[in-house]
Amino acid sequence: MLDVLGSLERTHTCGELREANVGDRVVLMGWVAKKRDFGVFTFIDLRDRDGVTQVVLSSEKATEAHGKAKTIRGEFVLAVKGEVVKRDEGAKNAKLSTGAIEVKVEELLVLNDAAVPPFQLEVAGSENLAAEETRLKYRYLDLRRPQLQRNIRMRAKAVKAIREYFDDRGFIEIETPILLKSTPEGARDFVVPSRIHTGKFFALPQSPQILKQITMIAGFDRYYQIARCFRDEDLRADRQPEFTQLDMEMSFANREQVYREMEGMFNHVLKLIDITLPAEWPRMTYAEAMRRYGSDKPDLRFGMELQDLSEVLKGTDFAPFADTLAKGGEIKCVVAKGKGDYSRKHLDELQEFVKRYGAGAMAWIKIGDEITSSLLKVLGEGKITELAAAAGAEKGDAVLIVAGKKSVVAASLGALRNEIARREGLIDRSKYECLIVTEFPMFEHDDETDTYVAAHHPFTSPMDEDLEMFKTAVDDQSQHHLLGQVRAKAYDAVINGYECAGGSIRIHQKDVQALNFKALGMSPESASTQFGFFLNALEYGTPPHGGFAAGIERTCMILCGTENIRDVMAFPKTASAQDLMMDSPGVVDPLQLDELGINVVEG
Ligand code: ASP
């Protein structure tokens, strides 16, 4: 028989009572985290979102309550009434905020029972957690774990801090619709069929990009929104099909003004974990980041910059290197400090690692008592010594070398740099290193289709300095390749090697926007079908404007110190875009499909 709550009210949470409360009569409610039965005494750890309090039932003092306690198990829901007492010195639990006291129970109400959970909730160490699939299926149980409770509450605090920041600075929160038209962030849209307009579809926003720009045209001047975004992308462990962004836009602003808001917002939010970032973050152009770190989101918590060996190898007759240089490629390396004793097996592993990023091979030099190298026979000891010196390597170091196309060298050595730092523990986890990466390329070349695609999105403005080149490249087909050199007023905020935000100054002139659609291979007709409304809007007095969007999940991962995106979302989907708890996506009633005029073709 279960008890009823009736008019009973909680006096305290399970994380609240301290020594100062000794003697108080209290009412606590919560879940049974643990029960220990010692015959005359039964101890229960009672848990709610704020903590755990030990409550004690004795067969002498509260016979009825003690009797009831016999029947309860883990995750039963209880209310206890009793007196706060001081624990004996030896029985204090320093790990518990309430560890100095316990509650001597006089009355126990069993408010609900609970089936035996399919996994143990409280385990020591995340490595002992049950399989993630099981935990996602029973998400409501997994969410009871203190760690997830803390993360989800941290997320709420972060969102509150973001709102505070932008409200204080005169930004206006404006909601934009979820049922929208295709928005161009480069991923696939999720579409929603319209019943009233059979055969037509809404698209869920990949971001509120166009609408936030329209709020600028509409004169709101400063907009922000905590916006849910949807992207039907190929599956990746750290991606979710729906996620949340802080989205902002401001009028009459130059890049520096937007950077200040990015810095200001992150600096304000990171105060939640007592981290002080510099008021002004370092800036680095995309070109410099790629050259020095092989990455547009370099982790600056450690050095190990890429070194260019192309100059020393100029004129080499070793065919692979000579070919690379002749084709305009590069030969670069990273130096693994103190790793001159890497085994052949280890070097082979690293070679396999860089191959995943397109590198054909990885050459190496090890500087022990003598110099050894995979290139010794082909280059000779003199050249090897010269290369080691050019790399800045010293006795005891290993030099790891990749040759090839610039993009491949950057990608493979950039990844190798991170991998070695991770494996060798070179990253100081207490550090927070931020920067703003600027002047991203405007276009990326798609080798498969030999076309240029927007590197950010098609509303991003070219750099003023590159505007003429941009116009020439679009108007003169023979100069089309120049698109690859056009830089954009696009930027990213990077913290500890993670891209936390990205944005741009937008095109605010209709003819430049039309030119950009043309550069992207869109005919005037298709530009008009897709974005005619926007091109129209641009005609009616559009102020110069720009903004950015920051990933709420990414930010919360930094705040919570987790590398698992699902740890900062209450109801995440799996890496294969499924909700295991609700078992979605699922089939719908054939009647519903009929109404929508949809015929599902199997296979
Ligand atoms: N809409 C962009 C994105 O979602 C951000 C921006 O340009 O403001 O990445």
Side-chain angles (χ1 to χ4, degrees):
M1 255 301 259
L2 296 174
D3 298 306
V4 289
L5 178 60
S7 56
L8 192 65
E9 291 180 20
R10 269 193 289 200
T11 59
H12 295 81
T13 72
C14 294
E16 208 177 337
L17 297 171
R18 302 285 183 273
E19 235 175 295
N21 297 98
V22 169
D24 290 355
R25 314 198 74 77
V26 297
V27 178
L28 301 183
M29 300 184 193
W31 288 262
V32 176
K34 217 184 263 168
K35 182 180 112 174
R36 294 177 303 278
D37 191 343
F38 294 113
V40 203
F41 290 108
T42 300
F43 291 89
I44 291 172
D45 284 349
L46 198 64
R47 172 190 4 93
D48 68 10
R49 65 174 208 186
D50 290 304
V52 171
T53 303
Q54 174 166 293
V55 304
V56 199
L57 298 107
S58 106
S59 59
E60 288 161 15
K61 294 274 163 55
T63 328
E64 196 198 331
H66 188 255
K68 265 194 205 169
K70 294 279 167 211
T71 66
I72 66 170
R73 287 192 315 261
E75 303 310 315
F76 272 41
V77 186
L78 310 182
V80 298
K81 233 173 167 177
E83 184 188 340
V84 182
V85 297
K86 198 168 153 180
R87 289 203 208 182
D88 293 339
E89 227 27 70
K92 286 192 174 161
N93 183 350
K95 282 195 216 137
L96 226 54
S97 62
T98 60
I101 57 92
E102 59 194 13
V103 173
K104 239 195 216 162
V105 178
E106 287 149 13
E107 210 181 314
L108 170 74
L109 301 184
V110 179
L111 300 176
N112 216 339
D113 56 12
V116 177
F119 58 90
Q120 214 184 329
L121 265 68
E122 310 211 15
V123 292
S126 55
E127 65 284 1
N128 295 320
L129 286 172
E132 197 177 15
E133 284 205 353
T134 315
R135 288 185 287 119
L136 285 171
K137 179 157 185 214
Y138 299 91
R139 187 64 172 169
Y140 38 88
L141 292 177
D142 203 26
L143 282 170
R144 284 184 197 165
R145 282 194 297 121
Q147 186 61 52
L148 287 187
Q149 290 270 323
R150 266 199 294 277
N151 291 358
I152 300 301
R153 291 175 80 173
M154 178 56 92
R155 180 175 173 137
K157 281 189 198 166
V159 169
K160 179 164 184 266
I162 288 172
R163 286 211 161 92
E164 250 165 37
Y165 178 82
F166 285 108
D167 288 342
D168 281 355
R169 303 190 47 82
F171 286 79
I172 300 164
E173 184 168 6
I174 302 176
E175 276 187 79
T176 53
I178 292 290
L179 293 179
L180 213 67
K181 203 176 161 169
S182 181
T183 49
E185 296 289 350
R188 245 181 237 114
D189 289 318
F190 279 100
V191 293
V192 181
S194 161
R195 181 182 58 82
I196 295 171
H197 305 278
T198 315
K200 292 200 167 161
F201 295 82
F202 294 103
L204 304 183
Q206 291 186 37
S207 86
Q209 185 61 37
I210 299 183
L211 290 172
K212 72 169 165 175
Q213 290 190 235
I214 291 179
T215 65
M216 296 300 102
I217 300 176
F220 285 102
D221 205 284
R222 295 177 153 221
Y223 141 99
Y224 83 96
Q225 180 179 194
I226 305 292
R228 192 66 67 83
C229 303
F230 307 82
R231 296 185 192 172
D232 190 3
E233 285 180 297
D234 288 335
L235 310 171
R236 258 180 38 191
D238 62 345
R239 288 268 170 86
Q240 286 279 319
E242 66 179 290
F243 57 95
T244 310
Q245 287 188 335
L246 165 275
D247 195 44
M248 72 81 93
E249 196 75 7
M250 56 201 289
S251 287
F252 307 110
N254 60 32
R255 286 183 292 159
E256 278 298 328
Q257 280 173 293
V258 183
Y259 300 164
R260 256 178 261 151
E261 300 302 340
M262 288 209 283
E263 292 160 346
M265 181 199 87
F266 280 113
N267 290 7
H268 183 65
V269 170
L270 265 90
K271 277 191 216 140
L272 287 171
I273 52 167
D274 296 324
I275 300 299
T276 310
L277 296 176
E280 187 179 310
W281 296 13
R283 324 271 194 243
M284 192 184 291
T285 64
Y286 170 87
E288 182 181 348
M290 294 306 285
R291 180 170 54 75
R292 291 173 57 190
Y293 299 98
S295 167
D296 58 6
K297 41 179 185 298
D299 189 340
L300 300 185
R301 288 174 297 177
F302 59 96
M304 234 172 108
E305 292 186 23
L306 276 51
Q307 305 296 334
D308 197 346
L309 303 176
S310 307
E311 198 51 42
V312 185
L313 288 164
K314 225 188 209 164
T316 178
D317 45 21
F318 178 48
F321 286 172
D323 271 5
T324 298
L325 294 176
K327 284 187 196 143
E330 281 180 336
I331 305 157
K332 289 179 112 172
C333 69
V334 290
V335 175
K337 276 271 151 235
K339 298 296 157 196
D341 57 355
Y342 268 159
S343 66
R344 278 307 282 268
K345 184 168 163 272
H346 201 116
L347 289 164
D348 286 346
E349 267 172 37
L350 296 180
Q351 160 144 281
E352 286 314 306
F353 178 84
V354 293
K355 281 185 177 169
R356 278 189 248 149
Y357 296 85
M362 185 193 82
W364 51 264
I365 302 172
K366 294 199 291 183
I367 318 176
D369 286 330
E370 51 193 68
I371 291 197
T372 52
S373 168
S374 60
L375 298 168
L376 200 56
K377 278 205 193 106
V378 288
L379 295 183
E381 198 171 331
K383 204 59 175 177
I384 297 291
T385 312
E386 226 184 295
L387 284 177
E394 294 169 332
K395 192 165 173 191
D397 297 346
V399 183
L400 310 169
I401 306 166
V402 171
K405 241 171 76 170
K406 276 187 181 175
S407 55
V408 169
V409 172
S412 48
L413 285 181
L416 184 64
R417 173 179 175 268
N418 285 334
E419 177 69 8
I420 291 176
R422 195 184 57 80
R423 285 192 191 198
E424 308 296 348
L426 304 181
I427 302 172
D428 177 351
R429 302 267 165 202
S430 68
K431 261 189 172 176
Y432 289 79
E433 291 292 343
C434 52
L435 81 155
I436 295 176
V437 180
T438 66
E439 297 178 27
F440 271 77
M442 180 101 170
F443 303 97
E444 273 163 18
H445 187 252
D446 182 348
D447 291 343
E448 250 171 57
T449 53
D450 191 24
T451 52
Y452 286 93
V453 295
H456 189 48
H457 52 55
F459 309 113
T460 294
S461 166
M463 296 271 291
D464 297 336
E465 297 86 329
D466 295 352
L467 189 60
E468 280 315 309
M469 177 163 57
F470 168 65
K471 288 182 173 163
T472 311
V474 185
D475 286 336
D476 178 352
Q477 193 51 37
S478 73
Q479 300 299 311
H480 201 56
H481 62 277
L482 287 179
L483 285 183
Q485 291 175 36
V486 178
R487 292 163 304 162
K489 291 184 186 171
Y491 34 76
D492 277 356
V494 177
I495 303 178
N496 291 352
Y498 289 112
E499 177 199 327
C500 295
S504 61
I505 298 295
R506 325 299 180 186
I507 297 169
H508 68 282
Q509 289 159 340
K510 190 192 173 201
D511 51 344
V512 183
Q513 186 61 67
L515 215 56
N516 200 27
F517 286 144
K518 189 173 168 199
L520 296 167
M522 235 185 257
S523 67
E525 296 72 39
S526 85
S528 152
T529 318
Q530 257 188 290
F531 303 117
F533 70 98
F534 183 61
L535 287 169
N536 274 344
L538 282 178
E539 279 191 75
Y540 292 92
T542 302
H545 60 285
F548 72 89
I552 296 292
E553 284 80 15
R554 179 60 68 203
T555 306
C556 291
M557 285 162 73
I558 292 175
L559 294 173
C560 298
T562 174
E563 309 234 315
N564 182 348
I565 190 168
R566 294 175 293 281
D567 281 353
V568 295
M569 303 177 84
F571 301 107
K573 298 196 171 42
T574 61
S576 56
Q578 279 174 304
D579 182 324
L580 298 180
M581 181 181 76
M582 300 181 66
D583 192 19
S584 80
V587 289
V588 300
D589 196 307
L591 271 179
Q592 220 176 335
L593 289 179
D594 271 353
E595 274 183 339
L596 295 166
I598 289 180
N599 190 10
V600 177
V601 182
E602 293 292 334

